[in-house]
Structures are given as structure tokens and as C-alpha cells.
Amino acid sequence: MRNVATTLGLLLLAAAPLSAAPQSTNPDLSRMAGCTLQGRTYTCSKADLQRALSLAKTITSISQPANHASDAALAELVRKLGKTPATGDTPADLIFILEPLQEAGVQVGPGTVDLARLRVLLVAPDGTPGKLLWVQTYNGDASMAWSAIARAATLALQDQLHSH
């Protein structure tokens, strides 16, 4: 029986154009089920995420749109997980994508809003982004700088991995 540890909130997974990465060399990863979509809610398995991270050796990290703060936060996450960043010559086992969710303009009023989404994807047999394995939305104060949001989003994933 699949242990579903987390049901994640609303997510509209837009098909984002991503460049092809070299194919993963780990067949155990390509056989993982990934998240399931029920209505507009993705349900992902924390156990599958932890298993995938234990099997993965290399990770491609993508910030959309590309920026220094996201790239630095993702590079630190990959390093803290003990993984090697994938390069053009190194096949990726997993793909991390960090993207802002905050809409442009002025946010009025107190409270928290969804600020960033961090997705973890498996690599398809042809080397392109494959199944969604995990998605995590970071929310906070809309006045936060993007560099703080990017760091907080990656730290939230680390915290999720270490929580029981």
C-alpha cells in the first residue's frame, strides 16, 4: 500500500518549456509512480520523495525565470542533500524547479500569500522532465524579497524531509 504522507494544495502544473537534460542512469527512479491528481489537488508520497533522494546522485536545478537568488538557493539545497549538480555531460536523476507565484503589483492587507513553488520531477527515459514527484508551495508575507523567499522555500523542503 502506498504511504501518502502529504496532500498538497491547489496546483495548476503549467507545461513549462525546459531544455532536455541527459538521461538518468537509474532505472529504479524511472519506475516511481509520482504524484496523483485528484480534481485540482496533487497528492504526493513523502516516502517516495525520500526514496528518490536516497537513489539520486545528480540533480538538475532550474529557476523560472532564471535569477541569481533562485540559482544560489537551489545550488545550496543540492549541496546540503549531498548530491552533485547535473551538467551537460552528467545525466540528471532528478530535477528541482523553483518559481515565484507572487503576482506583480502591490499586495494590500495583512496575511500570507503563496510566494513560491518548488517542484521535484523525475527524469523521463528520453532525458526530459518526467513525472511530478513532489510539489511544495511556500507562503509568507508578500513584502519579502525574492532572495529570502527562494532561500525559505528550499529550507522548507529540507525541513519537510527531516520531519516525521
Side-chain angles (χ1 to χ4, degrees), residues 3 14 41 50 95 103 115 142 157-158:
N3 176 16
T41 302
Q50 290 172 323
I95 300 170
E103 294 185 24
L115 298 173
L157 178 62
Q158 290 176 60

Side-chain angles (χ1 to χ4, degrees), residues 89-121:
D89 300 330
T90 310
D93 292 319
L94 296 173
I95 300 170
F96 289 178
I97 302 174
L98 179 61
E99 58 194 339
L101 295 177
Q102 186 177 12
E103 294 185 24
V106 177
Q107 299 286 333
V108 178
T112 61
V113 294
D114 290 345
L115 298 173
R117 178 180 305 130
L118 179 57
R119 293 181 283 161
V120 178
L121 295 111

Side-chain angles (χ1 to χ4, degrees), residues 34 63 69 96 115 123 129 131-132 148 150 155:
S63 53
F96 289 178
L115 298 173
V123 176
K131 297 177 207 167
L132 180 66
L155 288 172

Side-chain angles (χ1 to χ4, degrees), residues 53-89:
L53 285 169
S54 72
L55 293 170
K57 292 180 178 52
T58 57
I59 297 175
T60 293
S61 54
I62 301 168
S63 53
Q64 292 185 329
N67 66 71
H68 179 70
S70 299
D71 293 342
L74 287 167
E76 182 178 352
L77 174 61
V78 170
R79 184 182 54 76
K80 285 187 174 181
L81 293 173
K83 306 304 174 188
T84 303
T87 63
D89 300 330

